[in-house]
Amino acid sequence: MALTTAGTQPSLGEVAGIPLPATTVDNWHQIQGFEAQSDDLLICTYPKSGTTWIQEIVDLIEQSGDVDKCQRAAIQHRHPFLEWARPPQPSGVEKARAMPRPRVLRTHLPAQLLPPSFWESNCKFLYVARNVKDCLVSYYHFQRMNRTLPDPGTWDQYFETFISGKVAWGSWFEHVRGWWELRNNVRMLFLFYEDIKRDPKQEIQKVMKFMEKNLDGAVLDTIVQETTFEKMKANPMTNRSTAPKTILDQSISPFMRKGIVGDWKNHFTVAQNERFDEIYRQKMEGTSINFCTEL
Ligand SMILES: Nc1ncnc2c1ncn2[C@@H]1O[C@H](COP(=O)(O)O)[C@@H](OP(=O)(O)O)[C@H]1O
Ligand SMILES: CCc1ccc(OS(=O)(=O)O)cc1
């Protein structure tokens, strides 16, 4: 079912009530049939939660801190995006199938839509969560510049759209809750964007341990330095400058926009903030997850 109506607007479809890019919905059979392998590592995020950041961290760990090896391709091509489907490009599933093992893959899918083989194969999952207010702001600016997603409208309009979960990959609340509740039942490292920002060294060490990589202190320091916002913004292999303007129009808003905790304060009105806090309380009631919204 198309969720947008405007003539030339890119449309979203739905799978089991979750809005997804229409081309992903068209390819759903292939995505659900994906055969995960036991040594796959799947990076899982709600959009705009630091996916690119954790991808670069994971790649640098995998390449033992070799910065040149991480220049081999733009970040969006290093780890197949499982549900990516934009014919005639090869789909995420096709790219993953062609990749040598052990594979690092990525997805924005909510846990309930993941191909069953990921659970059956006992894969590793690396989930990164970002506080919802900054996620909302980042997603708003991303939809302004991403030509393949519906136009977000005004800030006030998008605020309502996001709360109602009518954005690609669905409700932030359900996504984060779903993955959080699974964290002790499967091989999962659950990280927070705000923790990586506050203490990158400590969080990168957790990722190294999870990936069973023993790298020395100098390599760890290199990874910390190479994955700062400023470094990644200046790096053509991470800043998406290689993506065509017809897809990402960075003259509207850069992909590497601000990279901070607390930008929501520059967007939310006092009334929106009060209302949002109440909605958050209701939607997240009963979960033990705790976010920090300022550093
Ligand atoms: N090295 C880094 N440090 C901090 N934030 C980073 C980062 N790399 C990317 N980001 C931020 O992560 C968000 C993009 O997330 P994703 O990769 O999941 O699409 C953007 O947030 P902002 O729009 O708030 O700046 C981007 O600036
Ligand atoms: C289909 C448009 C779209 C939306 C979100 C994307 O996520 S990411 O920026 O690659 O993480 C990509 C494409």
Side-chain angles (χ1 to χ4, degrees):
M1 183 185 78
L3 293 178
T4 52
T5 50
T8 56
Q9 277 276 303
S11 64
L12 296 178
E14 269 191 13
V15 172
I18 306 292
L20 292 170
T23 49
T24 293
V25 177
D26 292 343
N27 200 38
W28 196 245
H29 182 71
Q30 186 189 59
I31 295 163
Q32 277 302 291
F34 177 70
E35 289 177 23
Q37 309 286 344
S38 57
D39 51 359
D40 286 342
L41 169 62
L42 183 63
I43 295 174
C44 315
T45 50
Y46 186 79
K48 313 320 291 173
S49 299
T51 323
T52 314
W53 194 8
I54 198 69
Q55 281 185 263
E56 185 70 354
I57 290 170
V58 164
D59 199 32
L60 276 159
I61 293 173
E62 201 178 22
Q63 309 305 333
S64 304
D66 187 330
V67 175
D68 292 337
K69 284 192 182 159
C70 293
Q71 291 284 313
R72 71 191 180 283
I75 194 79
Q76 63 271 29
H77 299 304
R78 283 185 244 159
H79 305 132
F81 187 5
L82 188 65
E83 63 270 29
W84 181 257
R86 276 185 80 80
Q89 294 171 20
S91 68
V93 168
E94 286 159 353
K95 282 187 169 184
R97 280 187 192 144
M99 191 179 182
R101 292 167 67 178
R103 305 180 294 191
V104 178
L105 314 170
R106 74 173 177 112
T107 187
H108 290 319
L109 289 175
Q112 74 273 20
L113 290 189
L114 207 62
S117 63
F118 280 99
W119 312 119
E120 291 156 7
S121 306
N122 193 29
C123 299
K124 283 188 182 177
F125 303 97
L126 173 46
Y127 191 89
V128 180
R130 185 181 195 185
N131 84 77
V132 62
K133 292 178 183 177
D134 284 329
C135 220
L136 194 174
V137 168
S138 184
Y139 213 164
Y140 168 65
H141 290 292
F142 186 60
Q143 281 197 227
R144 290 174 54 233
M145 59 84 88
N146 188 325
R147 298 295 185 209
T148 70
L149 288 173
D151 184 299
T154 64
W155 162 255
D156 288 349
Q157 285 166 341
Y158 191 72
F159 186 81
E160 302 302 329
T161 308
F162 185 93
I163 287 172
S164 68
K166 292 199 172 107
V167 292
W169 289 278
S171 156
W172 177 96
F173 304 95
E174 288 169 21
H175 201 282
V176 171
R177 282 189 79 131
W179 281 101
W180 176 252
E181 277 154 24
L182 280 169
R183 73 196 182 286
N184 296 325
N185 304 343
V186 294
R187 294 198 294 165
M188 191 191 303
L189 178 64
F190 198 107
L191 297 181
F192 293 89
Y193 176 103
E194 295 75 20
D195 287 344
I196 313 176
K197 192 81 196 172
R198 186 178 41 80
D199 192 345
K201 196 167 181 168
Q202 174 187 284
E203 299 308 296
I204 292 170
Q205 272 176 314
K206 287 184 193 169
V207 181
M208 274 169 46
K209 193 168 167 220
F210 186 62
M211 292 175 67
E212 297 166 64
K213 273 284 230 180
N214 202 358
L215 303 173
D216 67 32
V219 174
L220 176 59
D221 288 341
T222 300
I223 298 175
V224 172
Q225 284 153 23
E226 291 298 322
T227 55
T228 61
F229 177 76
E230 292 70 24
K231 269 278 182 143
M232 285 184 58
K233 187 175 171 77
N235 179 352
M237 292 297 121
T238 52
N239 66 15
R240 300 286 178 103
S241 56
T242 60
K245 198 175 177 179
T246 47
I247 303 225
L248 299 183
D249 188 346
Q250 302 214 36
S251 67
I252 296 176
S253 179
F255 183 86
M256 292 285 169
R257 199 182 56 88
K258 285 197 182 172
I260 59 170
V261 179
D263 192 35
W264 62 270
K265 292 181 191 168
N266 299 316
H267 292 74
F268 283 49
T269 64
V270 172
Q272 281 174 335
N273 193 38
E274 284 173 4
R275 191 169 142 238
F276 198 89
D277 284 345
E278 179 53 23
I279 290 166
Y280 184 92
R281 201 189 55 71
Q282 288 170 14
K283 289 191 184 280
M284 298 303 277
E285 195 169 12
T287 137
S288 57
I289 198 164
N290 259 314
F291 282 92
C292 133
T293 53
E294 53 194 309
L295 286 185

